[in-house]
Amino acid sequence: MARARNRIAGVISVFGELLITAGLVLGLFVAYSLWWTNVLADRAAGRDGNQVRDNWAAQGPGALDTKDGIGFLHVPAMGDDEILVKKGTDSETLNNGVAGYYTAPIKSALPQDKQGNFTLAAHRDGHGAKFHNIHKLKSGDPIVFESKDTWFVYKVYKTLPETTKYNVDVLQPVPKESGKKQPGRYITLTTCTPMYTSDYRYIVWGELSRTEKVDANRTPPAELR
């Protein structure tokens, strides 16, 4: 009887040790996913962002796009960090701590286009988590895109806190789901929701309010001061 109890106690002890080990492994994985990937992504985005600004300083007037990124997104309601914007929304691009503009399933317009929808995606958690605070955006809040020679100032007019990940209509040139019916110059931010999942998508729509030329000192518009 005592021997059987000892065997049971031994099994329980081994099982407990396995649970502790599994918990430690899980904790390390969470730390990697939610902290270390942010560190690596921010480093990569910082290098690429510096390269973009170096290119701007070295080049005369020219095309908006560059191989390193097209400019920087500034969203005061989400925080003070500038967000480098690159082409594409694949994981290889977004995992480097940037926002990417869509090339598919519906091709994004670019800010300088006379009309269309500038559609962007970024991670909400891990890999830089650039859209982590997207839920803080409210109607009237500014979203500013900085290119080499122009500030594009958008104002939020509608949010959609949850929609299916398959809802590509939010990316249409005229985002009718946001209430718009006529062509204009729109911006759409998309990311995963709820936090720490990828089950649904959170959407924010804005409309171009005005543009400002970048001066020699790159003085930001009033919305960023």
Side-chain angles (χ1 to χ4, degrees):
M1 193 73 174
R3 187 176 300 174
R5 283 198 298 269
N6 288 338
R7 287 177 181 172
I8 293 172
V11 170
I12 292 174
S13 177
V14 170
F15 183 66
E17 290 176 3
L18 289 174
L19 287 177
I20 292 171
T21 301
L24 289 173
V25 171
L26 181 60
L28 289 172
F29 175 75
V30 170
Y32 171 80
S33 298
L34 300 181
W35 176 71
W36 185 241
T37 62
N38 285 343
V39 172
L40 296 178
D42 286 341
R43 287 177 183 173
R47 288 194 302 268
D48 288 348
N50 289 338
Q51 186 62 54
V52 168
R53 293 196 181 279
D54 288 344
N55 288 344
W56 287 352
Q59 297 168 0
L64 174 68
D65 207 350
T66 75
K67 63 185 178 64
D68 299 299
I70 66 169
F72 300 89
L73 197 68
H74 303 265
V75 190
M78 292 202 300
D80 295 330
D81 292 343
E82 63 183 22
I83 304 169
L84 179 62
V85 176
K86 286 189 170 187
K87 180 180 181 179
T89 56
D90 55 281
S91 59
E92 184 177 353
T93 299
L94 300 187
N95 285 358
N96 285 317
V98 305
Y101 64 88
Y102 284 86
T103 58
I106 298 173
K107 186 177 180 181
S108 173
L110 292 178
Q112 75 271 24
D113 293 339
K114 296 303 181 184
Q115 63 183 40
N117 191 2
F118 183 34
T119 55
L120 301 167
H123 285 301
R124 197 170 188 189
D125 299 292
H127 301 288
K130 297 305 180 184
F131 284 0
H132 184 76
N133 290 322
I134 194 171
H135 60 284
K136 294 185 177 181
L137 278 165
K138 303 292 186 291
S139 292
D141 284 345
I143 299 173
V144 180
F145 180 75
E146 175 192 2
S147 75
K148 180 171 63 175
D149 54 13
T150 305
W151 299 96
F152 298 86
V153 181
Y154 299 85
K155 291 295 178 69
V156 173
Y157 66 87
K158 183 72 177 291
T159 64
L160 180 60
E162 185 177 296
T163 188
T164 171
K165 64 179 74 175
Y166 306 109
N167 183 4
V168 299
D169 285 341
V170 300
L171 308 176
Q172 292 288 353
V174 179
K176 294 181 179 178
E177 197 166 350
S178 72
K180 296 297 182 180
K181 298 180 180 179
Q182 301 296 328
R185 298 173 75 175
Y186 306 112
I187 190 170
T188 302
L189 310 184
T190 72
T191 194
C192 296
T193 199
M195 289 184 184
Y196 313 114
T197 77
S198 59
D199 295 339
Y200 300 96
R201 296 293 180 265
Y202 198 111
I203 313 297
V204 172
W205 288 288
E207 187 169 16
L208 188 69
S209 175
R210 71 179 193 283
T211 63
E212 290 185 16
K213 285 296 182 183
V214 172
D215 63 23
N217 297 318
R218 302 202 73 85
T219 305
E223 288 80 0
L224 301 182
R225 296 199 296 268

